[in-house]
Amino acid sequence: MKYAFYPGCVSRGGCPELYPSAVKVSAKLGIDLDELKDVGCTGAGVLPQYISDPINARTFAKAEELGLPVMTICSTCQGVMSQANYRLKGDPEYRAKINREYLAEEKLEYKGTTEVKHLLWVLFEDYGIERLKSLLRRPLKGLRVAPFYGCYIRRPPEAITPTKELNRRKNYLDELIGILGAELTDISGKGKCCGFPILTANEENSLAMVGKHTGEAKEKGADCMVTPCPLCHLNLDGNQPRAEAQEGKEIGLPILHLPQFLGLALGFDPGEMNLKRHIVPTQTVESKVSMLT
Amino acid sequence: MEVTFKIYRKDPEKDGKPGRSTHAVNIPADATVLDGLLKIRDESDPTLAFRASCCRGYCGDCMIRVNGRARFSCTAKVSAFTEKGPELSLDPLRIVPVIKDLVFDWDAFMWNKIKAVKPWLEPAEPASDGENVVPDAQMKDLRKAMSCYYCGMCDEGCTVLPVDFNFLGPAALTKAYRFAFDPRNRDTRERFAVLEGPKGIWDCVHCYEADEHCPRGIEPTKRIIALRDLAFKMGIKNEKVARHHQSFAASVKESGWLDEGRLAIESEGLTNIKGLMKLLPTAAKAMMRGKAPLPYLHAKRPGADKIKKIFEKGEQETK
Ligand code: SF4
Ligand code: FES
């Protein structure tokens, strides 16, 4: 089982704990990663489409040359790439234009066959839950976990959940929490925006969103939150102290990256998953986990 | 079938405090929620206030929350909500100022915002024959946006409005799109003065909730993104957002990927001492945890030069 690995900028930049955790977890699971190095940033929904589509087409063409599907560990990368791929696959004329004008010079061509899948989707759709279960070394019994998806791994429908069957993607994280033996703390905002995209334009609104989601999870008794999106992590973890100050309440909710959460259930120690690198201290999670072994 | 309606009540002429009234109603199996409301008003409580107009699922006037979910009461079948028991709770939308019972302030919710984006055409000087002829192909996409019937579902689904009621919202911004992209429009820059202002396009989190909520497939989120891309092309006027976008673009252009340390600092503005100080506590914490990427030390990706070329070509071609 092999993927062209697209780790994204944030897993090595603002969230440097994510990249190594994902690599360790993939190795443990037996997922081979061939990292795409010679490719660009997806644009993250900041760069306009007319610039990011050709950059993403180049990424897809590189993966196509390797004959591998792309695996991401970032909901935002997933979303931006899914949307670009939807346009490029669905419109041969558009694809031909991008090939001609942007990729031909490098002798690249995107034929429209590359699949892009987040690790979360890979687990359910390619890897198999039974196989995952057989590798669990530390079912996370008693750990109460709130899911937080990030927008781009759930919407827009035509690119993310194009068939009825794939509508299930909207629930993978909820399902996974149970599969890893943890307890689900459901929150109303799990599929909403974390606020990160407007941190620059409207900080107050952005922090209010952080306070709302983390606050609700805390009130409902969650020990932590898990997210497949490092940008959500940047806001929910990194800006949680500022959200606490703005909203005038204490929250203190640890936020785990998806691979860290998986890693703990696969038997890695919190240290190996770099939990110490978070802004919100993760002691509650660590002590619960240490009692499980 | 016998169904119990639990209805949100509030009467400004009494104490104005929110409460709930309960009504057991006998209605046919295929009745709509609106049928139920009409029956209650006709037979047991003439003071109950709610709205409806077209009664055909078009105008949105009758929108309320049925068991928590926003629905047109004129088309929502009661039977669709009785799976867990013959009980329905009816409430106004999540975030609206309530006037009485289920009647809320549509002006504050949507119409004032639509007015704020100048929902009319200000055409350029007509051609010498007195007409501004537009090829049909150019109108096709706009016609889709024009098919908006102001039901307000997108605003109800919006992620930003619950934290900031003054955000213009997807319905008004979709209206803005319709005129900003009209080939006859005179002055796009002028239109963008409002759109790029506070509570405008840059406050949108582009979460695609609006697209999921719109019953007509108008895709308000994609329209807002198109407005933002157009602003990028014309040169973003919102200062902070401009700095953020410029820094983002420069770092992808120079190194192929994002330099987040640099982005954080440059978004605040290199001479904005107050803004930069505000970053310090978080930056210090992040530094201690080995988490903060140091700005400007960012390594170029292999292939960065190729990406730069693509980037510059994209910029050129859309000029
Ligand atoms: S864009 Fe769609 S959801 Fe929004 S008001 Fe118009 S028709 Fe309703
Ligand atoms: S009354 Fe017009 S949509 Fe219900």
Side-chain angles (χ1 to χ4, degrees):
Chain A
M1 177 163 252
K2 196 169 178 182
Y3 291 88
F5 182 40
Y6 185 92
C9 309
V10 184
S11 72
R12 285 159 302 174
C15 293
E17 66 279 1
L18 174 56
Y19 177 86
S21 314
V23 169
K24 280 181 204 159
V25 164
S26 302
K28 182 79 124 207
L29 291 171
I31 298 176
D32 281 338
L33 301 180
D34 188 347
E35 186 174 331
L36 290 168
K37 293 206 166 108
D38 171 17
V39 293
C41 164
T42 64
V46 173
L47 295 183
Q49 231 169 64
Y50 57 82
I51 290 173
S52 59
D53 272 8
I55 296 181
N56 287 317
R58 184 173 176 275
T59 306
F60 304 151
K62 294 251 170 192
E64 203 171 50
E65 268 186 353
L66 295 173
L68 296 174
V70 173
M71 185 180 100
T72 73
I73 45 173
C74 169
S75 298
T76 303
C77 293
Q78 177 66 47
V80 178
M81 288 204 271
S82 286
Q83 291 170 43
N85 210 7
Y86 172 79
R87 288 188 284 272
L88 291 160
K89 280 187 175 184
D91 187 346
E93 252 172 63
Y94 181 54
R95 194 171 69 237
K97 180 175 178 281
I98 294 218
N99 278 329
R100 198 171 55 238
E101 291 176 7
Y102 294 91
L103 306 189
E105 204 181 307
E106 268 189 85
K107 303 212 166 30
L108 278 173
E109 184 197 349
Y110 180 42
K111 299 190 186 69
T113 64
T114 301
E115 291 291 328
V116 183
K117 283 191 169 179
H118 192 286
L119 167 65
L120 182 62
W121 297 355
V122 165
L123 292 176
F124 281 86
E125 292 164 20
D126 302 350
Y127 192 79
I129 291 308
E130 290 314 311
R131 188 167 162 203
L132 173 65
K133 278 186 185 158
S134 73
L135 290 171
L136 295 188
R137 292 291 166 271
R138 186 199 282 129
L140 300 169
K141 247 191 165 159
L143 190 69
R144 285 172 307 213
V145 185
F148 197 88
Y149 288 84
C151 303
Y152 282 10
I153 204 170
R154 288 170 61 119
R155 288 177 299 271
E158 73 280 4
I160 303 292
T161 52
T163 62
K164 233 185 166 169
E165 152 78 4
L166 287 177
N167 222 8
R168 200 179 145 210
R169 284 179 171 169
K170 291 198 159 163
N171 213 38
Y172 283 164
L173 201 51
D174 293 54
E175 285 183 51
L176 187 70
I177 289 171
I179 290 163
L180 300 190
E183 216 176 278
L184 174 76
T185 307
D186 205 8
I187 57 164
S188 63
K190 66 186 174 190
K192 301 272 179 227
C193 177
C194 67
F196 188 77
I198 50 169
L199 190 58
T200 307
N202 193 328
E203 187 178 288
E204 197 184 332
N205 286 359
S206 177
L207 295 179
M209 289 177 192
V210 173
K212 196 168 158 193
H213 302 312
T214 54
E216 184 186 343
K218 189 77 187 185
E219 267 160 37
K220 290 190 168 158
D223 296 311
C224 64
M225 188 179 256
V226 62
T227 178
C229 181
L231 293 150
C232 293
H233 193 277
L234 277 179
N235 220 27
L236 297 171
D237 175 63
N239 282 325
Q240 203 181 114
R242 287 167 73 202
E244 287 176 324
Q246 178 178 300
E247 306 291 294
K249 61 179 177 196
E250 257 179 61
I251 302 169
L253 184 77
I255 315 290
L256 303 188
H257 294 286
L258 172 73
Q260 294 176 320
F261 179 51
L262 271 169
L264 294 178
L266 292 171
F268 285 106
D269 288 331
E272 292 174 285
M273 292 290 103
N274 302 302
L275 291 190
K276 285 270 178 293
R277 290 209 156 176
H278 295 189
I279 297 293
V280 178
T282 52
Q283 271 95 343
T284 39
V285 177
E286 288 176 45
S287 60
K288 274 210 173 179
V289 165
S290 68
M291 291 196 311
L292 291 171
T293 28
Chain B
M1 82 184 153
E2 171 106 357
V3 180
T4 306
F5 281 69
K6 295 188 164 172
I7 308 177
Y8 174 94
R9 302 302 292 267
K10 180 177 160 176
D11 188 347
E13 281 166 14
K14 286 191 187 151
D15 56 0
K17 285 201 189 108
R20 221 165 251 288
S21 64
T22 306
H23 312 262
V25 211
N26 210 327
I27 42 170
D30 63 346
T32 64
V33 176
L34 181 61
D35 291 335
L37 285 168
L38 289 165
K39 195 169 158 93
I40 294 168
R41 193 174 64 186
D42 287 347
E43 294 175 9
S44 63
D45 185 350
T47 70
L48 176 64
F50 53 89
R51 272 204 185 109
S53 182
C54 73
C55 298
R56 267 161 188 70
Y58 281 116
C59 68
D61 205 26
C62 64
M63 189 160 53
I64 54 173
R65 279 185 304 147
V66 186
N67 289 355
R69 274 174 290 163
R71 289 287 180 274
F72 300 147
S73 68
C74 71
T75 51
K77 293 265 192 257
V78 171
S79 56
F81 294 90
T82 49
E83 255 173 31
K84 286 191 187 146
E87 229 182 65
L88 251 60
S89 61
L90 306 185
D91 290 89
L93 300 187
R94 296 174 303 166
I95 45 170
V96 288
V98 171
I99 298 171
K100 180 170 191 256
D101 303 339
L102 300 173
V103 173
F104 58 85
D105 187 347
W106 269 97
D107 283 342
F109 177 55
M110 191 179 75
W111 294 116
N112 292 344
K113 295 172 185 179
I114 287 186
K115 280 184 205 150
V117 303
K118 282 207 204 170
W120 56 80
L121 186 67
E122 294 183 313
E125 283 301 308
S128 53
D129 61 1
E131 272 191 280
N132 262 326
V133 182
V134 183
D136 186 59
Q138 276 191 26
M139 289 307 284
K140 198 171 163 228
D141 167 62
L142 288 185
R143 269 204 301 275
K144 183 82 200 170
M146 280 148 81
S147 73
C148 166
Y149 52 5
Y150 308 107
C151 67
M153 271 288 189
C154 53
D155 282 354
E156 161 63 12
C158 172
T159 313
V160 177
L161 284 169
V163 299
D164 186 351
F165 189 69
N166 294 321
F167 172 49
L168 281 172
L173 292 174
T174 298
K175 191 54 21 184
Y177 171 98
R178 182 255 170 272
F179 290 106
F181 281 91
D182 192 303
R184 297 161 297 181
N185 178 45
R186 185 175 59 211
D187 190 347
T188 312
R189 256 286 159 230
E190 195 198 314
R191 283 194 178 273
F192 270 70
V194 177
L195 300 183
E196 286 205 66
K199 318 295 175 195
I201 49 174
W202 301 117
D203 275 25
C204 165
V205 294
H206 40 86
C207 63
Y208 291 98
E209 285 278 359
D211 291 17
E212 209 170 56
H213 277 75
C214 174
R216 314 251 323 171
I218 290 171
E219 303 184 316
T221 312
K222 293 199 185 91
R223 315 259 164 202
I224 299 173
I225 291 173
L227 287 169
R228 289 159 73 127
D229 286 3
L230 180 58
F232 189 93
K233 208 180 281 180
M234 294 188 303
I236 296 171
K237 282 282 186 276
N238 179 315
E239 265 180 48
K240 236 183 150 189
V241 174
R243 279 199 301 268
H244 178 261
H245 277 61
Q246 274 155 13
S247 174
F248 195 111
S251 115
V252 174
K253 219 193 255 184
E254 283 161 29
S255 64
W257 59 315
L258 184 60
D259 180 343
E260 289 167 276
R262 170 177 172 181
L263 183 66
I265 295 178
E266 291 183 352
S267 294
E268 281 307 325
L270 288 174
T271 52
N272 173 8
I273 304 299
K274 212 171 134 217
L276 291 171
M277 293 296 283
K278 195 185 63 193
L279 294 176
L280 270 183
T282 319
K285 253 188 216 162
M287 215 80 108
M288 266 159 52
R289 310 234 153 87
K291 201 173 151 64
L294 289 174
Y296 307 109
L297 295 176
H298 188 73
K300 253 192 192 184
R301 299 296 284 166
D305 301 337
K306 309 271 168 32
I307 291 155
K308 185 174 184 187
K309 259 195 188 161
I310 293 183
F311 202 118
E312 287 171 343
K313 205 154 183 212
E315 283 177 315
Q316 277 316 313
E317 265 171 37
T318 48
K319 279 254 156 75

